[in-house]
mmCIF file of all heavy atoms in Angstrom:
data_model
loop_
_atom_site.group_PDB
_atom_site.id
_atom_site.type_symbol
_atom_site.label_atom_id
_atom_site.label_comp_id
_atom_site.label_asym_id
_atom_site.label_seq_id
_atom_site.Cartn_x
_atom_site.Cartn_y
_atom_site.Cartn_z
ATOM 1 N N SER A 158 -11.396 4.352 4.816
ATOM 2 C CA SER A 158 -10.246 3.900 3.925
ATOM 3 C C SER A 158 -10.012 4.900 2.744
ATOM 4 O O SER A 158 -8.901 5.243 2.319
ATOM 5 C CB SER A 158 -10.672 2.520 3.383
ATOM 6 O OG SER A 158 -9.668 2.050 2.448
ATOM 7 N N VAL A 159 -10.975 5.445 2.140
ATOM 8 C CA VAL A 159 -10.978 6.545 1.147
ATOM 9 C C VAL A 159 -10.030 7.657 1.725
ATOM 10 O O VAL A 159 -9.057 8.158 1.034
ATOM 11 C CB VAL A 159 -12.251 6.974 0.610
ATOM 12 C CG1 VAL A 159 -12.102 8.345 -0.121
ATOM 13 C CG2 VAL A 159 -12.910 5.873 -0.117
ATOM 14 N N TRP A 160 -10.378 8.098 2.963
ATOM 15 C CA TRP A 160 -9.747 9.183 3.652
ATOM 16 C C TRP A 160 -8.283 8.888 3.703
ATOM 17 O O TRP A 160 -7.388 9.614 3.557
ATOM 18 C CB TRP A 160 -10.212 9.391 5.069
ATOM 19 C CG TRP A 160 -9.448 10.414 5.816
ATOM 20 C CD1 TRP A 160 -9.403 11.848 5.706
ATOM 21 C CD2 TRP A 160 -8.375 10.141 6.744
ATOM 22 N NE1 TRP A 160 -8.608 12.382 6.608
ATOM 23 C CE2 TRP A 160 -7.911 11.399 7.152
ATOM 24 C CE3 TRP A 160 -7.867 9.003 7.333
ATOM 25 C CZ2 TRP A 160 -6.881 11.521 8.084
ATOM 26 C CZ3 TRP A 160 -6.855 9.131 8.246
ATOM 27 C CH2 TRP A 160 -6.394 10.363 8.697
ATOM 28 N N GLN A 161 -7.964 7.607 3.967
ATOM 29 C CA GLN A 161 -6.427 7.271 4.191
ATOM 30 C C GLN A 161 -5.851 7.244 2.839
ATOM 31 O O GLN A 161 -4.718 7.772 2.656
ATOM 32 C CB GLN A 161 -6.485 5.883 4.777
ATOM 33 C CG GLN A 161 -4.958 5.411 4.905
ATOM 34 C CD GLN A 161 -4.715 4.164 5.683
ATOM 35 O OE1 GLN A 161 -5.674 3.329 5.802
ATOM 36 N NE2 GLN A 161 -3.546 3.943 6.021
ATOM 37 N N TYR A 162 -6.420 6.772 1.739
ATOM 38 C CA TYR A 162 -5.678 6.501 0.438
ATOM 39 C C TYR A 162 -5.981 7.485 -0.699
ATOM 40 O O TYR A 162 -5.478 7.279 -1.783
ATOM 41 C CB TYR A 162 -5.942 5.102 -0.020
ATOM 42 C CG TYR A 162 -5.339 4.103 0.884
ATOM 43 C CD1 TYR A 162 -6.112 3.094 1.662
ATOM 44 C CD2 TYR A 162 -3.971 4.077 1.233
ATOM 45 C CE1 TYR A 162 -5.594 2.224 2.455
ATOM 46 C CE2 TYR A 162 -3.407 3.093 2.051
ATOM 47 C CZ TYR A 162 -4.152 2.223 2.693
ATOM 48 O OH TYR A 162 -3.585 1.337 3.571
ATOM 49 N N PHE A 163 -6.683 8.615 -0.492
ATOM 50 C CA PHE A 163 -6.947 9.467 -1.625
ATOM 51 C C PHE A 163 -5.732 9.976 -2.180
ATOM 52 O O PHE A 163 -5.624 10.477 -3.413
ATOM 53 C CB PHE A 163 -8.019 10.568 -1.262
ATOM 54 C CG PHE A 163 -7.378 11.530 -0.386
ATOM 55 C CD1 PHE A 163 -6.685 12.735 -0.850
ATOM 56 C CD2 PHE A 163 -7.506 11.532 0.962
ATOM 57 C CE1 PHE A 163 -6.092 13.611 -0.115
ATOM 58 C CE2 PHE A 163 -6.912 12.463 1.818
ATOM 59 C CZ PHE A 163 -6.280 13.516 1.343
ATOM 60 N N GLY A 164 -4.637 9.948 -1.391
ATOM 61 C CA GLY A 164 -3.312 10.605 -1.928
ATOM 62 C C GLY A 164 -2.718 9.743 -3.087
ATOM 63 O O GLY A 164 -1.944 10.159 -3.791
ATOM 64 N N ILE A 165 -3.213 8.406 -3.151
ATOM 65 C CA ILE A 165 -2.616 7.690 -4.238
ATOM 66 C C ILE A 165 -3.004 8.029 -5.603
ATOM 67 O O ILE A 165 -2.254 8.333 -6.385
ATOM 68 C CB ILE A 165 -2.690 6.121 -3.835
ATOM 69 C CG1 ILE A 165 -1.837 5.880 -2.610
ATOM 70 C CG2 ILE A 165 -2.238 5.265 -5.042
ATOM 71 C CD1 ILE A 165 -1.777 4.441 -2.170
ATOM 72 N N PRO A 166 -4.331 8.095 -5.804
ATOM 73 C CA PRO A 166 -4.754 8.598 -7.263
ATOM 74 C C PRO A 166 -4.304 9.961 -7.366
ATOM 75 O O PRO A 166 -3.949 10.336 -8.521
ATOM 76 C CB PRO A 166 -6.355 8.430 -7.110
ATOM 77 C CG PRO A 166 -6.707 8.264 -5.751
ATOM 78 C CD PRO A 166 -5.541 7.612 -5.084
ATOM 79 N N MET A 167 -4.335 10.708 -6.363
ATOM 80 C CA MET A 167 -3.789 12.201 -6.457
ATOM 81 C C MET A 167 -2.347 12.219 -7.073
ATOM 82 O O MET A 167 -2.067 12.970 -7.988
ATOM 83 C CB MET A 167 -3.862 12.813 -5.076
ATOM 84 C CG MET A 167 -3.214 14.200 -5.108
ATOM 85 S SD MET A 167 -3.213 14.886 -3.460
ATOM 86 C CE MET A 167 -1.494 14.403 -2.959
ATOM 87 N N VAL A 168 -1.571 11.372 -6.446
ATOM 88 C CA VAL A 168 -0.060 11.360 -6.902
ATOM 89 C C VAL A 168 0.079 10.821 -8.376
ATOM 90 O O VAL A 168 0.722 11.301 -9.156
ATOM 91 C CB VAL A 168 0.668 10.519 -5.921
ATOM 92 C CG1 VAL A 168 2.086 10.088 -6.509
ATOM 93 C CG2 VAL A 168 0.969 11.301 -4.654
ATOM 94 N N PHE A 169 -0.786 9.790 -8.728
ATOM 95 C CA PHE A 169 -0.765 9.276 -9.998
ATOM 96 C C PHE A 169 -1.182 10.340 -11.103
ATOM 97 O O PHE A 169 -0.463 10.588 -12.070
ATOM 98 C CB PHE A 169 -1.650 8.124 -10.176
ATOM 99 C CG PHE A 169 -1.045 6.759 -9.825
ATOM 100 C CD1 PHE A 169 -1.115 6.380 -8.464
ATOM 101 C CD2 PHE A 169 -0.382 6.026 -10.694
ATOM 102 C CE1 PHE A 169 -0.471 5.211 -8.025
ATOM 103 C CE2 PHE A 169 0.259 4.804 -10.301
ATOM 104 C CZ PHE A 169 0.103 4.370 -8.912
ATOM 105 N N LEU A 170 -2.199 10.934 -10.848
ATOM 106 C CA LEU A 170 -2.884 12.071 -11.737
ATOM 107 C C LEU A 170 -1.801 13.362 -11.680
ATOM 108 O O LEU A 170 -1.614 13.921 -12.758
ATOM 109 C CB LEU A 170 -4.205 12.336 -11.366
ATOM 110 C CG LEU A 170 -5.138 11.180 -11.481
ATOM 111 C CD1 LEU A 170 -6.519 11.511 -10.893
ATOM 112 C CD2 LEU A 170 -5.320 10.861 -12.956
ATOM 113 N N TYR A 171 -1.404 13.584 -10.556
ATOM 114 C CA TYR A 171 -0.363 14.709 -10.424
ATOM 115 C C TYR A 171 0.851 14.498 -11.311
ATOM 116 O O TYR A 171 1.212 15.333 -12.126
ATOM 117 C CB TYR A 171 -0.062 14.813 -8.974
ATOM 118 C CG TYR A 171 1.107 15.797 -8.675
ATOM 119 C CD1 TYR A 171 0.866 17.098 -8.639
ATOM 120 C CD2 TYR A 171 2.425 15.351 -8.366
ATOM 121 C CE1 TYR A 171 1.922 18.103 -8.385
ATOM 122 C CE2 TYR A 171 3.486 16.107 -8.045
ATOM 123 C CZ TYR A 171 3.269 17.491 -8.083
ATOM 124 O OH TYR A 171 4.300 18.381 -7.790
#
Side-chain angles (χ1 to χ4, degrees):
Chain A
S158 175
V159 166
W160 173 80
Q161 179 170 21
Y162 291 122
F163 71 87
I165 290 180
M167 176 188 88
V168 163
F169 277 89
L170 295 168
Y171 169 79

